[in-house]
């Protein structure tokens, strides 16, 4: 793959590095009251636009084929929205005695509270050849559940960072998250045929808007002289994030293959990606709402910014070996079924024909 192709493929990761660097060079542009007016353009327009775009792109009408896999959906949603937050909470209890910056540890808790992503888990499941319908269903379901569950988890585990009443926070969430998402779904009903023909670049549009939110968030960070991060903390948090993902993937791979669950090999693939991935696209806007005006907002968002590319890169590395395992498991199952059928079709010795 050439340099240009690599840049095209990884443009969003490079974009994150670029906007953070630009925020470091001149943070005044993205500060509250600055030329970009983020208190209006980001707080209302950018966040609302991302969720309107999500509502417009979610193909909820195509999810009926996976609707009745209740056990699979329940496992994925409970794992990502209950088990992972509790696990990371326990992990942080141990890490709080380490030299790692405490605000980065709070950021780990933020990662645990996030819902599954809209696209990356589906893309990787499809690349492997797993249960794509289940991946789409759970990405959509997780996005809807996350609107309500994630803010509650954030406030439960981290508390409100300011004197802003919870009613105001949930009012803001309703105005800039729930309403745009519903409006996007309603609009989709009328323009669905056009969307299928033209295939607008929803992912690219949301990513560009997200870069604006990340930029203004880090402008606030670099404008404050009170916030300092040491290299040890940053390197440690990258290693911890990678370790968390590897452990979660291994846990799901070995546990969900148990016959007691009754999951197929393709189900296991969708489980591994959907239950371990966390949404940056939905997460950053929610943090801007729940922790509005919080001086450490950008610091606690760093683990999520690390988790996002790590889950994609790690998933990309695992596509080939997981596909090999899945095909082998499916072949064994077909062979076993075929032998069982042949045994049942032939009479036992001494049995009347």
């Amino acid at each position: 793959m050439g340099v240009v192709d690599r840049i095209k493929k990884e443009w969003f990761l490079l974009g994150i590095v670029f906007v953070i660097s630009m925020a470091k060079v001149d943070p005044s542009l993205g500060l509250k009251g600055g030329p970009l007016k983020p208190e209006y353009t980001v707080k209302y327009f950018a966040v609302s636009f991302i969720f309107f775009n999500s509502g417009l792109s979610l193909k909820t009408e195509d999810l009926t084929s996976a609707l009745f896999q209740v056990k699979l959906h329940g496992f994925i949603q409970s794992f990502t929205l209950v088990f992972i937050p509790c696990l990371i909470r326990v992990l942080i209890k141990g890490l709080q005695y380490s030299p790692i910056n405490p605000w980065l540890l709070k950021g780990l808790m933020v990662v645990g509270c996030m819902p599954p992503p809209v696209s990356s888990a589906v893309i990787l499941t499809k690349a492997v050849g797993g249960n794509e319908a289940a991946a789409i269903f759970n990405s959509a379901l997780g996005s809807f559940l996350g609107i309500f569950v994630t803010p509650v988890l954030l406030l439960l585990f981290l508390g409100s960072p300011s004197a802003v009443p919870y009613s105001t926070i949930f009012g803001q969430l309703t105005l800039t998250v729930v309403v745009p998402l519903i409006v996007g779904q309603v609009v989709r009903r009328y323009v669905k045929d056009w969307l299928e023909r033209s295939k607008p670049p929803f992912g690219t549009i949301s990513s560009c808007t997200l870069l604006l939110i990340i930029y203004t968030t880090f402008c606030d960070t670099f404008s404050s002289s009170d916030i300092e991060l040491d290299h040890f903390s940053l390197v440690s948090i990258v290693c911890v994030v990678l370790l968390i993902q590897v452990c979660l993937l291994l846990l799901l791979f070995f546990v969900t293959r148990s016959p007691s669950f009754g999951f197929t090999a393709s189900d296991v693939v969708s489980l591994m990606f959907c239950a371990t991935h966390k949404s940056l696209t939905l997460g950053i806007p929610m943090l801007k709402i729940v922790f509005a005006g919080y001086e450490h907002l950008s610091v606690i968002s760093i683990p999520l910014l690390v988790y996002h590319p790590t889950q994609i890169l790690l998933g990309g590395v695992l596509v080939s070996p997981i596909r090999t395992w899945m095909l082998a498991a499916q072949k064994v199952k077909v062979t076993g079924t075929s032998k069982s059928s042949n045994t049942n079709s032939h009479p036992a010795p001494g049995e009347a024909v």
Side-chain angles (χ1 to χ4, degrees):
M1 183 181 291
V3 176
V4 176
D5 292 332
R6 174 61 66 180
I7 291 174
K8 287 181 179 178
K9 184 178 180 181
E10 308 294 349
W11 73 271
F12 181 63
L13 301 182
L14 295 173
I16 291 177
V17 175
F18 176 74
V19 297
I20 292 176
S21 302
M22 292 301 294
K24 175 68 174 177
V25 172
D26 184 15
S28 62
L29 185 64
L31 284 177
K32 184 177 181 179
L36 287 181
K37 301 291 183 184
E39 63 271 27
Y40 303 110
T41 57
V42 171
K43 184 177 181 180
Y44 295 104
F45 175 74
V47 174
S48 298
F49 181 74
I50 281 181
F51 285 96
F52 171 77
N53 193 46
S54 295
L56 200 60
S57 62
L58 281 175
K59 298 181 179 180
T60 49
E61 68 274 7
D62 294 339
L63 305 181
T64 52
S65 61
L67 183 62
F68 299 106
Q69 293 183 281
V70 178
K71 189 197 320 186
L72 179 65
H73 308 324
F75 189 101
I76 290 175
Q77 298 305 325
S78 59
F79 190 91
T80 192
L81 293 174
V82 179
F83 177 77
I84 291 181
C86 293
L87 177 68
I88 292 183
R89 177 71 170 179
V90 172
L91 177 64
I92 291 174
K93 287 291 184 180
L95 290 175
Q96 66 184 359
Y97 300 105
S98 71
I100 300 176
N101 187 297
W103 297 107
L104 287 177
L105 294 181
K106 289 181 182 291
L108 270 183
M109 193 67 253
V110 165
V111 171
C113 297
M114 289 298 118
V118 176
S119 59
S120 64
V122 176
I123 292 170
L124 289 169
T125 300
K126 184 176 182 179
V128 174
N131 190 338
E132 186 183 355
I136 294 172
F137 184 92
N138 281 282
S139 293
L141 177 62
S143 298
F144 283 116
L145 288 177
I147 293 171
F148 306 100
V149 177
T150 294
V152 172
L153 290 174
L154 288 172
L155 294 172
L156 177 65
F157 286 113
L158 298 176
S160 178
S162 64
V164 178
Y166 289 175
S167 59
T168 301
I169 292 174
F170 283 102
Q172 181 73 18
L173 283 167
T174 301
L175 180 64
T176 58
V177 176
V178 179
V179 172
L181 195 69
I182 294 174
V183 171
Q185 278 286 282
V186 172
V187 172
R188 178 178 176 80
R189 292 172 61 89
Y190 296 97
V191 298
K192 183 173 66 174
D193 293 338
W194 176 81
L195 291 174
E196 294 298 327
R197 289 196 308 271
S198 59
K199 299 187 182 302
F202 291 115
T204 302
I205 294 170
S206 289
S207 296
C208 290
T209 309
L210 187 59
L211 288 177
L212 171 64
I213 297 175
I214 293 171
Y215 170 71
T216 57
T217 299
F218 276 86
C219 283
D220 290 335
T221 298
F222 294 128
S223 65
S224 174
S225 58
D226 298 330
I227 299 176
E228 294 184 3
L229 284 177
D230 58 283
H231 292 91
F232 173 80
S233 292
L234 288 173
V235 173
S236 297
I237 218 67
V238 171
C239 294
V240 170
V241 164
L242 179 59
L243 183 63
I244 288 173
Q245 291 193 35
V246 170
C247 290
L248 290 175
L249 284 166
L250 288 174
L251 176 65
L252 282 172
F253 180 70
F254 288 110
V255 170
T256 58
R257 289 189 302 160
S258 170
S260 60
F261 285 109
F263 295 136
T264 65
S266 61
D267 290 339
V268 172
V269 173
S270 62
L271 274 159
M272 289 177 66
F273 292 128
C274 292
T276 61
H277 281 208
K278 295 293 185 177
S279 177
L280 178 69
T281 306
L282 303 180
I284 293 295
M286 283 189 184
L287 287 177
K288 290 288 286 186
I289 296 170
V290 177
F291 296 98
Y294 193 34
E295 64 175 353
H296 292 95
L297 172 60
S298 58
V299 179
I300 65 175
S301 68
I302 287 175
L304 185 57
L305 292 172
V306 172
Y307 198 98
H308 175 75
T310 304
Q311 68 189 8
I312 295 173
L313 294 174
L314 185 59
V317 170
L318 292 175
V319 163
S320 182
I322 292 177
R323 185 195 297 120
T324 301
W325 165 81
M326 185 190 72
L327 293 175
Q330 290 174 337
K331 185 176 181 181
V332 169
K333 183 177 181 181
V334 170
T335 303
T337 304
S338 177
K339 287 181 178 180
S340 176
S341 299
N342 290 335
T343 301
N344 293 333
S345 64
H346 295 288
E351 188 176 72
V353 178

